[in-house]
Each structure stands twice: as C-alpha cells, then as structure tokens.
Amino acid sequence: MVQHYALTVGPFSRGFHVITDNIIGAVAEWPETGMLQVFIRHTSAGLSINESADPSVLHDYPLYFDRLAPEHLPGILHEMEGPDDMPAHIKSTLTGSSVSVPILHHSPALGTWQGIYLCEFRQQARARQLIISILS
C-alpha cells in the first residue's frame, strides 16, 4: 500500500535546512516497516540526507556548492530569474530531487547523525512543495 502526503515548507533563506521533523510530523501514521520517499517539486532546490549534528556543516555546505556552481559564471545563458537561476539548477542536480529512507519500528531509520535537508539554492526563494510517500 502507498500513502501520499503533501507538505509545504519555507520559504527558507538560501542554505541548507534540516526538515526531518517537518516530514515526521506530516505523516499521520507510520507503518511498522516500509519505505519513506520524499520528493521536491522544484528545480532550484534539492533534498539530501547528511550530517545534522554539528552546526559547522551549515557553513561548509554552501561554501563547497558555491565554488562548484558560482553566480556570474561566464558563458551561462539561463538567467531568466537572475544570476542565481542556472547555478541553482546545477546545484539541485547535484543534490537530487528525492531521498529514500527505510522505515523500521514505526519511524524513519536514519542514522544517529543523519538528517533530511532541504537545500535551498535561490536568494529569493518561495515556499517549497514536497510529496511524502510511505510504502508499506
């Protein structure tokens, strides 16, 4: 059986935002076992599972991503919504648009230090729409 839940989060500032609790709170009933999938319905933000215990990672993530896909890169054509437009699309391709987590004992089986991130790559972001799927 598959259950789907819609979740709107943000708008967030540009950066990496732990949304694990938002996702857990959006699901009405967790099965004993199954699979959680979260999908973001946008192309300028992404999802990631990563370190969420040490706040210094929130400094390091954008530093790395901004070096990989900087604004004002010579040769970029797609700037319809500003200089962060194409870099945001590139960064969201790197993070991906969905994450999957096994469900064990009625909850997502994330590791001790893991969290689910919404990776916001736009300066002037709007609220983001997620689809949460529970497969049991």
Side-chain angles (χ1 to χ4, degrees):
M1 182 168 88
V2 179
Q3 292 278 70
H4 297 289
Y5 301 89
L7 175 63
T8 301
V9 294
F12 292 118
S13 60
R14 184 172 167 174
F16 294 76
H17 307 275
V18 179
I19 59 167
T20 311
D21 290 342
N22 302 77
I23 292 164
I24 290 170
V27 175
E29 186 175 337
W30 290 88
E32 171 69 28
T33 62
M35 185 64 68
L36 160 68
Q37 182 185 34
V38 184
F39 174 76
I40 188 166
R41 302 180 71 184
H42 301 275
T43 59
S44 57
L47 296 172
S48 177
I49 296 173
N50 220 307
E51 160 78 59
S52 66
D54 183 349
S56 69
V57 300
L58 297 175
H59 168 268
D60 296 345
Y61 286 149
L63 179 69
Y64 182 80
F65 275 89
D66 289 343
R67 287 182 182 171
L68 286 174
E71 293 181 19
H72 307 289
L73 186 65
I76 293 290
L77 298 177
H78 182 74
E79 291 187 331
M80 189 177 292
E81 298 179 55
D84 66 345
D85 198 5
M86 191 63 209
H89 295 311
I90 293 167
K91 293 170 186 176
S92 73
T93 296
L94 294 172
T95 58
S97 58
S98 66
V99 295
S100 296
V101 180
I103 299 168
L104 299 173
H105 311 292
H106 301 284
S107 66
L110 289 164
T112 302
W113 311 114
Q114 289 181 318
I116 301 172
Y117 281 87
L118 185 134
C119 311
E120 181 55 67
F121 299 122
R122 297 303 305 268
Q123 287 288 78
Q124 301 296 322
R126 60 182 190 263
R128 299 302 190 168
Q129 313 245 320
L130 306 174
I131 302 294
I132 300 168
S133 301
I134 304 295
L135 294 81
S136 60

